[in-house]
Amino acid sequence: MSGTTSKLYAIVHCKCPHCRRGDIFTGSMYGWNIQHTKEICGHCAQRIEIEPGYFYAAMYVSYAMNVIEMLIASFITYLIFGPLTDNTFWHYLIVIFTGCFILYPFNYRYSRIILLHVLSPNIKYKPYYDK
């Protein structure tokens, strides 16, 4: 890959916000290898968890993502089964909780990525790592 690495590419592919080259996670998002957040970028040695407890803030990002996903799941359920009534209550509940369960690994990974790339003003991209 030559030239500068775009921020969108780094976010989608879970790359370090400092060099946009090193991987932030070990393991796959879905699979038997449990994903873990690396402590230090393998490419530029940037500390990923800037301070102890830094990723607690990712819980708020994950919460916002989860609320949006629940609203979308509710809307899709509404389109399929109709309005929420006593007869459709379990449909709504099952669809919403299944969606939350399936999207948990996605939320875990991308809430941290959004926190690092968008909400962390202390980590600046250094294009000289692209050379």
Side-chain angles (χ1 to χ4, degrees):
M1 188 178 220
S2 61
T4 60
T5 308
S6 73
K7 186 171 196 149
L8 181 62
Y9 176 87
I11 290 172
V12 169
H13 294 283
C14 301
K15 300 296 182 183
C16 171
H18 186 66
C19 66
R20 296 183 184 169
R21 296 291 178 142
D23 292 325
I24 293 180
F25 296 98
T26 62
S28 61
M29 187 179 334
Y30 290 99
W32 298 111
N33 301 357
I34 298 175
Q35 62 179 334
H36 293 286
T37 307
K38 292 182 178 181
E39 291 182 24
I40 296 174
C41 174
H43 191 263
C44 69
Q46 167 71 37
R47 227 175 126 63
I48 302 297
E49 187 172 5
I50 299 169
E51 57 191 36
Y54 177 72
F55 286 121
Y56 284 126
M59 289 188 307
Y60 298 107
V61 177
S62 178
Y63 176 76
M65 292 170 65
N66 210 359
V67 167
I68 291 168
E69 293 159 2
M70 290 165 88
L71 289 172
I72 291 170
S74 297
F75 181 69
I76 291 170
T77 307
Y78 173 79
L79 293 176
I80 295 170
F81 295 106
L84 178 63
T85 63
D86 288 343
N87 296 333
T88 60
F89 173 77
W90 288 104
H91 295 106
Y92 276 83
L93 199 66
I94 290 168
V95 168
I96 290 170
F97 282 120
T98 301
C100 291
F101 180 74
I102 290 171
L103 291 172
Y104 170 75
F106 176 84
N107 289 345
Y108 172 83
R109 184 172 282 215
Y110 282 99
S111 64
R112 289 173 179 233
I113 293 296
I114 290 169
L115 180 68
L116 285 169
H117 280 273
V118 180
L119 302 174
S120 295
N122 296 337
I123 302 177
K124 302 273 191 260
Y125 170 58
K126 305 291 185 200
Y128 58 81
Y129 285 110
D130 286 327
K131 297 176 184 170

